[in-house]
Amino acid sequence: MASKLAIDKPGSFMLLNGDEAVGRGAIEAGIKVAAAYPGTPSTEILEAIAEVAKPLGIYAEWSVNEIVATEVATGASMTGVRSLVSMKHVGLNVAADAAMTLAYTGVVGGLVIVVCDDPAMHSSQNEQDTRYFSVHSNIPLLDAGNPQEAYSMTREAFEISEKLSLPVIVRLTTRVAHGKARVKIGDFLKLNRQAEFDKDVSKWVMVPSNAMRQHHVLKNRLAEAEKLANESKYNVFEDNHKKIGVVGSGIGYYHAKSLLSPKKFSWLKLGFVYPFPHNLVRQFASKLEKIIVVEELRPYIEDNLRGLDVEVVGKRKLSLDEIGEFNPDLLREAFSKIGLCGKAPRRHADLDLPPRPPVLCPGCPHRAFYYALNTVSQFVKCDPQKCVGCDICELVCSWEKEQVFNPYKARIRTARLDTLSNMALSCRICKNAPCVAACPKDALSQSSKTGIIHVDESKCDGCGWCITACQYGAVTLHPQKRKAMICDVCDEEPRCVKSCPEGALSFSGRTDDKIVTGDIGCYTLGYLPPINAVQTCLCMGAGISQAAGMIHAGIKEKVFAVIGDSTFFHGGMPGLLNITYNKANVCVVILDNRVVAMTGHQPTPGSGKNAMGEDAKIMKLAEVSRSLGVEKVKIVDPYDVVGTRKALQEILDYNGPSVVISERPCPLKIPKNAVREVTEKCNSCGLCVTAFGCPAISLTPERADIDATLCCGCGVCQALCPFNAIRSTE
């Protein structure tokens, strides 16, 4: 019981972030059950509780998704014990079906729903204001502006919940959830409740007749909740007998108070914000001529003040957006425009720092898989900045194909672009190749697996239509046979690439010849260059169903739907069942690293551990997939790029639902292997950087370089290097 959250020293102080403060408040309130699904910025709430769960007699679980977590917490509350469920704002969308009706049924034991909003979308796909969800769902809401409030509001929320027989939402934002502060703690409540369930079907079974009656009950409870809001200690009225007042909630209020002279204004801090404390606000406004409203995201407080006989200065007059989060500089600029304070002092010029977008980590198996996916079809690519027009590639090609040094018999040829640059031209493996479509004799065909164009010389009459159709100038006629000649990439080991003395040629995959629907997780970063693989990201589980929709709309090519193992358990299984039931020709790719990697390596149903560190049954993805009706299931090791590519090429010819499971643990969870180094063989071709994109590798004009502090020793770059220029240091 080493966690600080278990320390029993009432009145002492702890340094806690907002999430930890919520956990401490819930523990002090005597919770029996806590459930959640990981999601930044709310993840640390359950982690904090789980650390001390066993010694304190608490049950904590990572549920498979947010609605399940809400239902678990609801079931516990129905027996009279206190429970907590936590999630980020988009998780509340998943839980909404349960939460909406939960307001009708009410609760017995206190039930607190902690929701962390993410203004500015630091780690989310949208911005939401949970205060409006509380209005929509009729669930009371407390809005925390710092870790101390997060702690005390959470503890108090259980009392409010039981007083009203309603669930209560405690809202944090990212800065509150992750910001640290000294938090004064209290004592642990000794509730000693025995779990019992009252089988009153009129209360719990929400058929229309019962629901209609419970809706009236809910309205009465909300009226009582508004009385509590008007009297709440979290709605703080500071009357300085001024004509201008400032009202706000959350962290924006504290930013405003740090910028404006406190004694020059009257202040109202709203913490219990739904139901809206109308009487208290009217009392505050009765002595004022003007009210300044400070709140992040939507104008919830501002809209509620519009009916008062006082001037309201809100987002529009302050030129504050409904997008993003507030900070002191932003608010100072807004306040200075209406004369509330001076302008911000001029700062020195910002440092010219390089951008640092999120990227897949060195050694990430997802990168290796995406590389294999991109190289399902490959072509010989030329960098015109390196090509010197030496024609060696032509000679090597003609010797490889016909054992003569004759550039006219080569499947690749060089061309001068201008006085300073040249280009080697070869087949680009076009999707739905125009040369194939143009051939009147059906002498050309394209492999569905590799995209390579094959020429049937028995049918080709040398008409040249394929030459006209190719916009890259990659098709020529044999000078003697008068048959079409097209690069066939030498069984995926093109000799020209290895023979180029300048490293101008590379054997590169395509990122624009396939449809790849994505999902939420580390692997979403596969949309970034140079990988450029993922083309959609909507919500958890959506990629599979989006892919199905594309197929049913008439898309003819194979669509790959990429999803992580935890996300598959969260929201992907219904989508997979749907494509098998409705016969969609979709390949679902499950990237299995056995953890919820992006949010901090929480366990999944496939990891063999639960939130409290206990051994748990391992749910095998292949078995789950087959149980949902998928007949074609393949398991690959993404570090084996060649084997993964072959498996994907096999899937391309398969008609029907299929699953590919890419199995490799997250490199941050396992010991490093021997790091790799670059040898003198490197000619700076750039494949490891410009196509594979490992952040541990950088490129200079002379050669590539591997940062030993970043390299995890996965060895994929060594396997990919066409010149055997990378080796192990052991």
Side-chain angles (χ1 to χ4, degrees), residues 553-566:
I555 291 292
K556 299 302 181 185
E557 62 261 43
K558 181 76 74 173
V559 183
F560 295 91
V562 179
I563 192 170
D565 52 324
S566 178

Side-chain angles (χ1 to χ4, degrees), residues 63-65 68 519 540-545 563-581 588 590 605-606 619-630 659:
S63 305
V64 295
N65 61 32
V68 171
D519 230 291
M540 296 187 77
I544 299 174
S545 302
I563 192 170
D565 52 324
S566 178
T567 310
F568 176 75
F569 290 123
H570 176 286
M573 291 190 292
L576 183 59
L577 177 61
N578 185 62
I579 68 170
T580 57
Y581 174 60
V588 175
I590 307 174
M619 305 299 171
K620 296 182 179 179
L621 290 167
E623 294 179 1
V624 173
S625 299
R626 293 188 181 99
S627 73
L628 293 173
V630 181
V659 169

Side-chain angles (χ1 to χ4, degrees), residues 359-412:
V359 295
L360 294 171
C361 301
C364 179
H366 302 341
R367 174 183 288 101
F369 178 85
Y370 283 134
Y371 182 84
L373 182 61
N374 284 343
T375 57
V376 164
S377 57
Q378 293 174 281
F379 68 100
V380 177
K381 182 180 179 181
C382 178
D383 183 350
Q385 301 302 315
K386 293 182 178 180
C387 181
V388 296
C390 65
D391 299 339
I392 290 177
C393 56
E394 294 180 343
L395 298 175
V396 169
C397 181
S398 63
W399 178 260
E400 174 67 24
K401 296 302 180 186
E402 304 202 20
Q403 288 73 54
V404 295
F405 291 115
N406 183 347
Y408 291 104
K409 295 183 178 181
R411 276 66 170 170
I412 187 172

